[in-house]
Amino acid sequence: MKAHHYTMTTRWTGNTGSGTASYQSYERSHVLQTDGKPEIPGSSDPSFRGDKTRYNPEEMLVASLSSCHMLWYLHLCSAAGIVVIDYVDHATGTMTETADGGGYFSEVTLHPEVTITDASLTDKANELHHEANELCFIANSVKFPVHHQPTCKVQA
């Protein structure tokens, strides 16, 4: 097996002068970065005193699942001779907060809207979502179900 390694730097930028002296004294702002790429502005969910204009870890998890699925799906379609000309996913995730303040994701549902060029390949295009889910690195790494509710359209 081949191993791939990834590095990311997370830098907290939310020290307002007194560090974490109290729960209210600091911002949850941070930046995510890796060499040669733009920074991603991060924060916590607004429910946890976060900045709603920045990405939170929960959104990034849902985005990672959506992106990984899409990339596998496009690859599988290309290999199967299915020409995809548009792909949009409106992914949703459900996180449940626990009594101790922690929490967990109970599910993520992907809602890919795919447009292809050949109506005769619609069934195959829909079937490939299952295979993409089985191959997706991120979906294989989480302990909750990743559901799919695809829509396949044919170019007019």
Side-chain angles (χ1 to χ4, degrees):
M1 286 199 299
K2 184 191 294 187
H4 298 268
H5 303 278
Y6 302 92
T7 60
M8 288 292 294
T9 300
T10 302
R11 183 171 30 90
W12 177 47
T13 58
N15 184 349
T16 61
S18 58
T20 59
S22 73
Y23 185 71
Q24 294 80 18
S25 68
Y26 64 96
E27 294 178 359
R28 280 53 180 176
S29 299
H30 57 277
V31 293
L32 307 167
Q33 61 189 126
T34 193
D35 289 340
K37 297 180 184 177
E39 291 183 344
I40 299 171
S43 188
S44 62
D45 183 285
S47 299
F48 308 105
R49 301 186 53 82
D51 180 343
K52 68 180 180 181
T53 67
R54 292 170 164 254
Y55 295 98
N56 64 57
E58 296 80 10
E59 291 168 329
M60 297 294 283
L61 177 62
V62 173
S64 291
L65 284 160
S66 176
S67 178
C68 185
H69 180 84
M70 178 194 70
L71 293 169
W72 268 111
Y73 180 78
L74 294 175
H75 167 75
L76 293 169
C77 283
S78 176
I82 299 170
V83 179
V84 175
I85 58 168
D86 193 40
Y87 185 110
V88 177
D89 184 12
H90 302 284
T92 59
T94 302
M95 185 187 79
T96 302
E97 221 179 312
T98 56
D100 63 2
Y104 60 90
F105 269 81
S106 57
E107 68 177 2
V108 167
T109 302
L110 306 181
H111 302 273
E113 298 173 3
V114 180
T115 304
I116 62 174
T117 59
D118 185 343
S120 70
L121 296 173
T122 300
D123 288 341
K124 180 65 175 173
N126 284 328
E127 290 170 14
L128 288 177
H129 286 285
H130 178 71
E131 188 175 349
N133 185 63
E134 290 179 351
L135 294 169
C136 172
F137 309 128
I138 309 301
N140 284 318
S141 301
V142 298
K143 66 179 185 176
F144 54 83
V146 179
H147 305 290
H148 304 88
Q149 296 177 350
T151 302
C152 189
K153 303 174 192 173
V154 179
Q155 180 183 28

